[in-house]
Amino acid sequence: MPDIRLFTKPGCPYCVDAKEWLDRNGCDYDPLDITKDVKVLREWRELSGGVGVPVLAHGKDLVVGFSPERYSEFLTSCQRTTKVDAAQVEAAIKA
């Protein structure tokens, strides 16, 4: 399961744009339809306060709405915080 989740609903043109942008940029994400699963709906409400879709989420960090610039910045930030180089960790421990 990808670390990135995209909360959407049918009929949302911004959700379509968000999915297309993520696909075009080779992003691995989990598309979640808030109208099909109560658990997904609750998670979306808890994260975003239920303000709208799409919601791009990584842990508790999120972007509400769709903006290519904000998505790019968000995904770059996610890559910096989630990729761990074992050799770097070992070197830091020994230092």
Side-chain angles (χ1 to χ4, degrees):
M1 174 187 283
D3 291 334
I4 304 294
R5 297 170 329 280
L6 182 66
F7 295 88
T8 65
K9 70 177 184 178
C12 168
Y14 298 111
C15 297
V16 172
D17 291 344
K19 287 178 186 178
E20 289 176 354
W21 188 91
L22 291 167
D23 292 340
R24 211 173 27 253
N25 286 280
C27 299
D28 189 23
Y29 67 98
D30 191 10
L32 302 168
D33 184 336
I34 64 171
T35 67
K36 296 195 187 246
D37 185 333
V38 172
K39 184 178 174 184
V40 168
L41 177 65
R42 287 183 184 141
E43 182 181 4
W44 167 74
R45 280 187 182 152
E46 181 181 316
L47 284 171
S48 70
V51 294
V53 289
V55 172
L56 185 66
H58 179 260
K60 298 281 183 183
D61 298 323
L62 55 102
V63 175
V64 178
F66 174 66
S67 162
E69 296 82 17
R70 289 177 53 216
Y71 273 34
S72 182
E73 291 170 8
F74 181 77
L75 293 171
T76 299
S77 174
C78 291
Q79 288 175 347
R80 283 195 304 261
T81 60
T82 59
K83 296 206 180 206
V84 177
D85 181 352
Q88 287 179 332
V89 172
E90 287 181 30
I93 292 171
K94 290 178 183 177

